[in-house]
Amino acid sequence: MKLVDLLPVVSETLGLSLASVRVLAMNLRKHGLISSGGRGRGGAEMKASDLTNLLLAAMSGDAAKDAHIAVRGLREASVDPTSSLHGEPARPIEDHPMFMRRHVLGEALDAIFLSYASGDELSDEGYGFPITNLFLTVHSPHTLNYAADLWLDNGSEDWTLRYHRNHPAFDGLPKAKWSETARSLMAGKGDLAYTARVTSTTFYDLADALGQAADAEAKQQLKATLGKARKSSSPKA
């Protein structure tokens, strides 16, 4: 599927105007976050990462001109399902290698799109029940950090994975300077926060568009992604 074909699907699925989705896509492509190589019908075939990036851009709440910054931050937001957080016990998703190790949000969403595009629904011989119901929630603004929640349900159990990435201004910064940096980032900003949420319907609809045009490629990429996940989650000798 080409970008020119994908944009109307994203527009209809999310209930956004085609013009606004096109502006987001052009910004992402300019910054290397959408596959490029020609224009219109001669453009590059879309990949799972393109779906993820368009979705995150639309959910970020940032101005279109800053969408690429938000997408990079959200893609890099990470979670470790094997660690407890805020007093909550660790709950790795057993039999689902993608979610049994530390990973980033972009990696997880790419894998979900690939899985749904190939009709796999995160359910093969290495998995338990298929994950057919999910919510993705993105929190904004991204003044101090990038945060998102991924709720997954397989009909028997459900999990919530909380992804987080500090603002890049904190990268490599001594802890002693964090308060000063936080005050600088918050200067002139209000306390209002809001969220954007999509359900499994969005993932099914967008993945279906990808799968119809590139089912074989989706399966090949999915196999590589899951193989990497299984290798990472295998116990060391």
Side-chain angles (χ1 to χ4, degrees), residues 2 6 29 50 55 69 95 102-103 109 128 141 158 170 184 195 198 202:
K2 310 294 186 181
L6 178 61
R29 185 162 67 178
D50 298 318
L55 178 60
I69 300 174
D95 297 325
R102 183 180 182 87
H103 62 278
L109 300 185
D158 62 87
F170 295 104
S184 176
T195 61
V198 295
T202 290

Side-chain angles (χ1 to χ4, degrees), residues 1-233:
M1 169 170 280
K2 310 294 186 181
L3 180 60
V4 67
D5 301 312
L6 178 61
L7 295 183
V9 178
V10 175
S11 171
E12 181 177 355
T13 300
L14 298 182
L16 300 175
S17 71
L18 181 57
S20 64
V21 174
R22 184 178 290 113
V23 170
L24 287 174
M26 294 307 101
N27 174 277
L28 295 182
R29 185 162 67 178
K30 176 182 177 182
H31 290 89
L33 292 170
I34 290 288
S35 300
S36 60
R39 300 279 180 174
R41 300 297 175 186
E45 290 290 336
M46 294 293 97
K47 302 181 297 186
S49 59
D50 298 318
L51 299 184
T52 294
N53 294 348
L54 270 172
L55 178 60
L56 291 177
M59 297 180 69
S60 71
D62 285 6
K65 66 181 180 62
D66 298 322
H68 62 289
I69 300 174
V71 168
R72 286 198 175 103
L74 288 167
R75 282 195 67 93
E76 293 172 359
S78 65
V79 67
D80 185 353
T82 65
S83 297
S84 51
L85 180 67
H86 304 310
E88 298 179 5
R91 291 191 65 212
I93 303 178
E94 296 181 1
D95 297 325
H96 291 71
M98 176 77 249
F99 304 107
M100 289 180 68
R101 60 180 174 87
R102 183 180 182 87
H103 62 278
V104 296
L105 180 62
E107 186 179 19
L109 300 185
D110 290 352
I112 291 171
F113 275 127
L114 284 171
S115 179
Y116 284 8
S118 64
D120 181 79
E121 294 185 332
L122 289 174
S123 176
D124 70 357
E125 70 279 358
Y127 292 154
F129 295 108
I131 294 176
T132 56
N133 194 19
L134 64 88
F135 294 151
L136 170 65
T137 304
V138 172
H139 304 275
S140 30
H142 316 291
T143 309
L144 298 178
N145 57 63
Y146 298 90
D149 301 332
L150 186 59
W151 178 79
L152 304 164
D153 174 35
N154 67 6
S156 177
E157 289 189 84
D158 62 87
W159 300 261
T160 298
L161 299 175
R162 307 187 189 282
Y163 296 82
H164 180 273
R165 193 231 192 274
N166 285 329
H167 189 284
F170 295 104
D171 292 353
L173 194 68
K175 292 280 188 179
K177 295 186 177 181
W178 278 36
S179 293
E180 178 184 350
T181 300
R183 285 194 297 270
S184 176
L185 291 172
M186 289 295 296
K189 306 289 178 63
D191 194 39
L192 179 65
Y194 48 95
T195 61
R197 191 183 80 170
V198 295
T199 70
S200 49
T201 297
T202 290
F203 286 87
Y204 277 118
D205 288 352
L206 297 184
D208 186 54
L210 175 69
Q212 288 177 359
D215 183 63
E217 182 180 358
K219 287 182 178 179
Q220 183 178 8
Q221 292 185 48
L222 176 64
K223 183 177 180 180
T225 299
L226 296 183
K228 177 183 176 182
R230 290 195 182 96
K231 183 177 181 181
S232 298
S233 62

